[in-house]
Amino acid sequence: LKAVTSNLVPLGVTMAFGTIVIYLFSLIGFFRFQELMTNDDGPQCSSMMQCYLTYIHYGLLSGGGIGDYMSSTLAHPLDYSDQVSFFERVVYDLGFYIVILLLLINLIMGIIIDSFTSLREASEKKQEIENSICLVCTDTKDDIEYRGILLGLSNSFKKHKEEEHNLWNYLFFIMYLESKPATDLNGTESFVRQKLLAKEMSWIPKKKGNSVRAAAEAY
């Protein structure tokens, strides 16, 4: 759904262009091929509005476009005995098929597919950042793992993210501060709340943690 909603403008412009092009084809069909747009149920193109809606409905749903609908469904195939009419139909049918069903529909699909690709790349980039950097202290995985090796620890980065700088703990702490009356806050909580109100994030540790202190003390 996001692949569609994030591209509403280009999709809307493309669809609007498509409706205009279909209208032009229906206009030609109304004046030139109206007698072919009939079947046992009656005329399918007796008015400009009916003709336009018929082209939108059956022109898009028929596998070969409006030409396929006229030839197969309405039983008005190409008549080679009238060469002028024959070549007009060939150009007209192929024009609708190429412009609407091949170019326009594929253009819309291309916009959606390109959006899916962009969303996937953004998701992969986000995952890459989450797997290589602590989002709290901005320390890199390599530095954290290196300090862990100095201290004889394994899986230092995972432990760091889960125990020292767990994002959920920070979120719960912020929610706790927002729900607690200001008069009940202690000194540290008041300090952090003031920073939050000022939209200042200096209270969050930057490249600081137990592993940093332990490595500094050990060496």
Side-chain angles (χ1 to χ4, degrees):
L1 182 60
K2 190 176 181 180
V4 176
T5 56
S6 61
N7 288 280
L8 288 179
V9 173
L11 284 174
V13 171
T14 305
M15 290 180 180
F17 174 74
T19 57
I20 294 173
V21 174
I22 293 176
Y23 174 78
L24 294 177
F25 273 99
S26 67
L27 191 65
I28 296 172
F30 180 74
F31 288 105
R32 186 66 188 87
F33 303 110
Q34 189 176 26
E35 70 280 1
L36 301 179
M37 297 292 291
T38 58
N39 59 9
D40 295 337
D41 296 328
Q44 304 292 308
C45 197
S46 59
S47 67
M48 192 62 235
M49 178 59 72
Q50 183 191 27
C51 200
Y52 181 52
L53 295 177
T54 299
Y55 270 63
I56 290 179
H57 185 194
Y58 294 106
L60 295 178
L61 294 181
S62 300
I66 197 65
D68 184 27
Y69 176 67
M70 285 192 289
S71 297
S72 301
T73 306
L74 300 181
H76 293 293
L78 295 171
D79 184 10
Y80 190 71
S81 61
D82 185 351
Q83 293 191 8
V84 175
S85 177
F86 174 82
F87 286 111
E88 284 182 352
R89 274 286 308 276
V90 169
V91 173
Y92 183 75
D93 294 353
L94 286 178
F96 187 94
Y97 178 76
I98 293 173
V99 174
I100 302 299
L101 296 186
L102 289 185
L103 297 181
L104 197 64
I105 299 300
N106 284 321
L107 180 59
I108 293 174
M109 294 301 297
I111 293 173
I112 296 175
I113 292 173
D114 184 64
S115 180
F116 272 117
T117 302
S118 299
L119 291 174
R120 187 183 69 250
E121 291 176 351
S123 178
E124 291 175 350
K125 182 64 176 178
K126 179 182 177 182
Q127 190 65 40
E128 180 183 351
I129 293 174
E130 291 179 354
N131 292 334
S132 60
I133 298 175
C134 172
L135 299 180
V136 175
C137 69
T138 69
D139 213 351
T140 64
K141 179 180 180 180
D142 291 340
D143 289 342
I144 295 173
E145 291 288 356
Y146 175 72
R147 289 195 298 269
I149 293 174
L150 295 179
L151 298 173
L153 303 175
S154 60
N155 295 325
S156 300
F157 184 67
K158 181 179 179 181
K159 293 178 181 178
H160 177 86
K161 292 179 64 177
E162 292 179 353
E163 299 174 8
E164 292 186 41
H165 291 161
N166 190 304
L167 280 175
W168 289 108
N169 291 340
Y170 280 85
L171 176 62
F172 294 148
F173 180 59
I174 292 173
M175 294 175 63
Y176 164 76
L177 293 180
E178 291 179 347
S179 63
K180 190 174 182 180
T183 54
D184 295 339
L185 299 176
N186 59 32
T188 302
E189 293 171 347
S190 297
F191 170 78
V192 174
R193 184 166 183 174
Q194 290 300 320
K195 293 293 184 180
L196 290 173
L197 292 175
K199 296 183 179 180
E200 185 180 339
M201 307 305 292
S202 59
W203 62 276
I204 295 180
K206 297 299 180 182
K207 295 190 176 182
K208 297 178 182 178
N210 295 332
S211 61
V212 176
R213 289 192 294 270
E217 292 173 358
Y219 293 88

